[in-house]
Amino acid sequence: MKALYLAVIRFYASSIGKKMIVALSALGLLAFLLGHLAGNLLIFSGPDALNAYAAKLHGLGVFLWVPRLGLLGLVGVHIMATLHLAAQNRAARPQEYVADATLRATRSSRMMVLSGLTILAFIIYHLLHFTVGNLHGFHDDNGAYRLADGSMNVYKMMVVAFGVWFNSLFYLVALTLLGSHLSHGVSSLFQTLGFTTPRTRPLYTLVGRLFAVAICGGFASIPVAVLAGFLK
Amino acid sequence: MNLTLKVWRQKNRNAPGHLAEYQARDIPVDASFLEMLDIVNERLIESGDDPIAFDHDCREGICGMCSLTINGKPHGGKGGVTTCQLHMREFQEGQTIVIEPFRASAFPVVKDLAVNRSAFDRIIQGGGFISVRTGSAPEANGTPIAKDVADRAFAAAACIGCGACVAACKNASAMLFVAAKVTHLNSVPQGQPERDRRVLGMVRAMDAAGFGNCTNQYECAAVCPKEIPADAIARLNRDYGTAAIKEALVG
């Protein structure tokens, strides 16, 4: 057991080990994004479908904390390892070039820390917005956002929240940065975990871009549909 | 042709450096970049000034000794050539050229543009070799190797260890160098007995030397004078992951 513990420590201490931990935690977060999007898109099937899905999730009670804590752990590990790597990267070149040139690196690859930290700020806002906070009076005692059986009217919550244009605008900006993060991150994941070969590299680059467009387009469709008056 | 040079001058490892401006007049267009610096240095010596220190040896693109970051691009950024094979006809009349050393904390400046790249030697000592005595060249068909494997190993073995990958990397990472050496030796049958020990040892030596971490931006492959592809890094990651798991489970 101690040998295994030491092996994990040694793995994390290595550059490639930390990168693999970033990639593996990202895999879990990508799975969550897909699930979260699939659930949210139920809004287009009408209030009943979305509210039934939300009631089912809340029905898990204490067990809802298992995926919640898991996600929190993944986010924590992903950020800790990346910040550690970024600090080492800074230390590896104390004197910057006077004339700096970029030949091949994409813009999204160069702003991973910035896009990542913006997404973190967005996640905190997002949780305060819908889950914890009371900006729109979702959690008032008057029951304006509750259904007859006492469960939350999530459909109404989303339509009211995204009806505020600056709120939707902030969501769209955050989603654009998420797309940028994913377009580099997803293709990088295959490289870091060692799956990329000369033949598959173009495929993985394409998968990264398609994934980014699908996730961001999917999520963005909801505030856009509300603002356009399609969802009421 | 006439050029303005802005050259990094630094007395030694610990002294602060600065860019000094020089006028390079009447440079033949067919001169190599290093020959241009030779001409500038001769004039500096004639006028009693300290010549610019820079590394060079074979001047035919195979020794890995020449370096220089030219306008922010190691070896000039053409890809597939070293600085010694870069010619002045690639530049414009009257152009200003900024010349800096390969910058990385693992490559401390010795003087001006010359840096100490012995961190690469320490990485090789970590496992970039085969420990059996192989004697003289063996009979060609004694150990059959598939054509694609031989091609891959040979392409990786073309690495001359110049360090341009480190210089070009946004994080001063040595991953392309290590990947080339690991791909070369871990592909051929002679390298199999030590493949796990090799990759673990070389990556640990790389980390200990203070290089940065790969962020999959492939600036390294864009400047590599031997055009080592970034796929070698995926192979390095795969070999390292497998070896680390084996080490954790079996010891």
Side-chain angles (χ1 to χ4, degrees):
Chain A
M1 198 60 210
K2 196 183 168 203
L4 191 67
Y5 173 72
L6 285 176
V8 171
I9 296 289
R10 190 139 70 158
F11 188 67
Y12 184 83
S14 76
S15 53
I16 299 179
K18 270 193 283 298
K19 283 165 52 59
M20 287 187 165
I21 287 167
V22 171
L24 291 172
S25 57
L27 262 184
L29 296 172
L30 292 176
F32 163 75
L33 275 180
L34 278 177
H36 189 41
L37 176 63
N40 281 11
L41 288 180
L42 284 173
I43 197 170
F44 291 105
S45 306
D48 295 344
L50 184 69
N51 288 333
Y53 163 73
K56 199 176 275 177
L57 275 186
H58 280 129
L60 291 172
V62 178
F63 293 102
L64 187 57
W65 282 97
V66 175
R68 276 179 175 172
L69 289 177
L71 276 174
L72 201 65
L74 285 177
V75 169
V77 166
H78 192 74
I79 294 173
M80 178 180 69
T82 357
L83 291 184
H84 210 151
L85 287 166
Q88 289 179 337
N89 292 345
R90 264 165 203 252
R93 178 165 294 136
Q95 172 80 53
E96 291 287 330
Y97 285 110
V98 178
D100 198 17
T102 296
L103 292 160
R104 197 176 285 181
T106 58
R107 192 185 309 178
S108 60
S109 76
R110 301 193 64 191
M111 47 189 273
M112 288 301 273
V113 173
L114 178 75
S115 59
L117 290 177
T118 312
I119 294 163
L120 175 66
F122 168 74
I123 293 172
I124 294 169
Y125 173 75
H126 184 52
L127 289 175
L128 289 175
H129 189 200
F130 278 109
T131 314
V132 187
N134 207 18
L135 179 65
H136 307 278
F138 291 155
H139 305 291
D140 283 348
D141 290 333
N142 60 20
Y145 290 94
R146 293 208 177 258
L147 297 166
D149 64 357
S151 60
M152 294 301 292
N153 188 345
V154 174
Y155 184 90
K156 189 175 171 187
M157 285 167 72
M158 284 168 78
V159 170
V160 168
F162 291 126
V164 183
W165 69 269
F166 54 83
N167 207 349
S168 286
L169 184 72
F170 179 53
Y171 270 76
L172 293 176
V173 169
L175 283 172
T176 309
L177 283 165
L178 176 66
S180 161
H181 203 74
L182 291 176
S183 74
H184 177 70
V186 173
S187 60
S188 267
L189 194 148
F190 293 103
Q191 170 86 359
T192 300
L193 294 178
F195 293 113
T196 311
T197 62
R199 252 211 327 229
T200 54
R201 178 176 301 282
L203 174 73
Y204 293 146
T205 307
L206 184 70
V207 166
R209 288 190 184 147
L210 286 181
F211 192 89
V213 169
I215 289 284
C216 297
F219 278 119
S221 69
I222 299 170
V224 169
V226 170
L227 284 180
F230 183 71
L231 292 171
K232 285 174 218 167
Chain B
M1 61 197 296
N2 301 304
L3 302 152
T4 303
L5 305 183
K6 288 187 174 175
V7 183
W8 187 262
R9 302 300 308 256
Q10 186 172 340
K11 265 201 166 60
N12 56 50
R13 178 181 182 154
N14 299 318
H18 67 282
L19 280 183
E21 197 171 303
Y22 300 96
Q23 298 301 322
R25 304 212 174 278
D26 304 320
I27 302 294
V29 286
D30 292 328
S32 77
F33 202 85
L34 297 186
E35 284 163 351
M36 181 273 291
L37 285 178
D38 289 339
I39 295 170
V40 172
N41 269 348
E42 277 170 19
R43 291 174 189 164
L44 285 175
I45 293 168
E46 277 169 15
S47 61
D49 291 323
D50 193 21
I52 302 158
F54 63 92
D55 275 323
H56 60 103
D57 191 4
C58 77
R59 299 209 179 194
E60 47 189 20
I62 53 167
C63 77
M65 196 60 198
C66 63
S67 55
L68 307 185
T69 303
I70 301 160
N71 288 335
K73 299 166 197 158
H75 294 307
K78 253 187 95 186
V81 291
T82 50
T83 297
C84 63
Q85 301 284 292
L86 182 70
H87 291 87
M88 298 319 293
R89 52 181 172 267
E90 304 287 341
F91 297 88
Q92 308 289 324
E93 168 66 34
Q95 194 180 341
T96 300
I97 306 174
V98 181
I99 311 170
E100 295 175 78
F102 280 2
R103 294 199 190 278
S105 63
F107 288 168
V109 170
V110 177
K111 190 185 176 190
D112 299 339
L113 303 171
V115 297
N116 182 344
R117 284 168 281 182
S118 57
F120 272 11
D121 298 332
R122 296 198 293 279
I123 294 176
I124 294 295
Q125 286 166 349
F129 50 81
I130 284 167
S131 314
V132 290
R133 286 169 64 89
T134 52
S136 58
E139 202 280 313
N141 295 318
T143 310
I145 303 176
K147 176 83 169 87
D148 59 332
V149 176
D151 284 350
R152 183 173 70 228
F154 196 78
C159 169
I160 52 176
C162 65
C165 45
V166 174
C169 177
K170 301 289 178 200
N171 317 313
S173 165
M175 286 283 277
L176 192 65
F177 168 73
V178 179
K181 299 302 169 192
V182 166
T183 299
H184 164 206
L185 295 172
N186 278 12
S187 292
V188 290
Q190 293 87 338
Q192 295 313 309
E194 293 168 295
R195 62 176 296 140
D196 294 337
R197 210 190 318 163
R198 170 176 306 115
V199 70
L200 293 173
M202 291 184 80
V203 168
R204 280 168 196 158
M206 170 183 85
D207 292 344
F211 291 104
N213 307 291
C214 175
T215 40
N216 307 325
Q217 294 173 300
Y218 314 131
E219 292 285 297
C220 51
V223 299
C224 177
K226 298 300 154 185
E227 300 180 312
I228 310 281
D231 310 299
I233 297 177
R235 180 172 289 274
L236 168 65
N237 289 334
R238 184 158 69 235
D239 283 6
Y240 181 81
T242 318
I245 290 169
K246 275 197 221 166
E247 188 190 43
L249 298 179
V250 189

